Amino acid sequence: MRVLGIESSCDETGVALVDASGDGVPTLLAHALHSQIAMHQAYGGVVPELASRDHIRRVLPLTREVLATAGLALSDIDVVAYTQGPGLAGALLVGAGVAASLGAALDRPVMGVHHLEGHLLSPFLSADPPEFPFVALLVSGGHTQLMRVDDVGAYELLGETIDDAAGEAFDKSAKLLGLPYPGGPHLSRLAEQGNPEAFALPRPLLHSGKPDFSFAGLKTAVLTQVRKLEQQPGGITEPQRADLAASTQAAIVDVLIKKSLMALKDTGLKRLVVAGGVGANTRLREQLNAACEKRRVRVHYPELHLCTDNGAMIALAAALRLQRDMAKLERGGGFEVKPRWDLAQLSEPSRL
Ligand code: KG4
Ligand code: ZN
């Protein structure tokens, strides 16, 4: 069984083809991605209308590219999966519309996938896939959550951010430091030259005793520091910018690690999966690996290029559900998107 996956929830158009024959972990046959970063950079963030229009331009050429790479034809696709939510409504509608049209034209079922379920399950495409159950740290541009994952579709929310997401904290702090969008990778690069202990930045809710997060205060603290440094004669220096970037990254990473360890301790689980764009952060990976090794906890990440949005994770999540007979398949050409959609709502009532 071959599943085509289409991702268009934000600023990346991703298409992929996964083979889910048998019961084994599905394999990735081909994937293609177009990032809109260069287009949105001029505006300092994602412009939803431009994102939608660009998805329209890219999705069919990417689909052709994926099929050509896999050496297959449209008629070889058995199921068409697409990101149904959460995300930008207009952007989601592009992927959903194309998926529904392909399904109708090919007479194949169509399936909506939860974007965060895609991220969460993406490490199953890595060379060292995890086993259930595990704790998942989901750190993307819009979400920061700790989940207990017992199986595909069995997700229990342990804690989440009460305000900004970790990716948002990276992006907003980066903007204050004059770095281009999306700030996370840029801030992380600048931080390599700085001292993470140069500035004492807040680590909100670190001692709350619960696996929850708050990052809004960090951004305010970075703003205060930037303003102070800009007032000195000559303004903020390059070494100071690097120090502030390193200190910001250290504050975010410290909180993510402490709360992940807390969730592991509370659940008694010995396996952690890190997914979402911030999971690409080198300092987070290094420090988390060290902390988990000490506690004999196995950590799994998606392949680096599958940390940020992509079509492979959407095709994979669909394939894993199909293998377990848990897929909600649709026919008839209609479609619906869910710009706001909690991952915990996906859990099968019988499993809770
Ligand atoms: O998962 P993702 O691609 O999109 C969403 O679903 O939101 O995550 C994007 C987020 C952005 O905030 C971006 O700045 C952040 O992931 N990010 C990083 C790194 N790479 C991407 N943050 C820190 N360090 C990185 N290396
Ligand atoms: Zn994402």
Side-chain angles (χ1 to χ4, degrees), residues 3-17 28-36 51-74 77 94-95 98 102 309-312:
V3 184
L4 185 79
I6 300 174
E7 155 64 31
S8 71
S9 67
C10 189
D11 56 353
E12 253 112 23
T13 323
V15 180
L17 199 57
L28 184 59
L29 298 175
H31 85 116
L33 189 77
H34 175 79
S35 169
Q36 303 178 350
S52 312
R53 291 187 205 175
D54 202 56
H55 287 308
I56 293 173
R57 276 193 290 272
R58 308 288 174 183
V59 67
L60 289 178
L62 288 172
T63 305
R64 275 189 216 110
E65 186 184 329
V66 162
L67 288 170
T69 308
L72 295 167
L74 272 175
I77 298 169
V94 176
V98 169
L102 275 177
D309 294 347
N310 62 82

Side-chain angles (χ1 to χ4, degrees), residues 7 100 128 137 196 285 299 317 347:
E7 155 64 31
D128 176 30
L137 172 67
R285 287 189 175 216
V299 199
S347 280

Side-chain angles (χ1 to χ4, degrees), residues 202-232:
R203 281 135 171 87
L205 299 185
L206 192 64
H207 303 293
S208 70
K210 288 187 282 180
D212 49 6
F213 308 86
S214 164
F215 290 109
L218 179 61
K219 162 192 72 193
T220 313
V222 173
L223 175 65
T224 309
Q225 281 298 345
V226 169
R227 284 206 178 129
K228 211 161 105 192
L229 294 169
E230 274 172 349
Q231 273 162 16
Q232 46 174 36

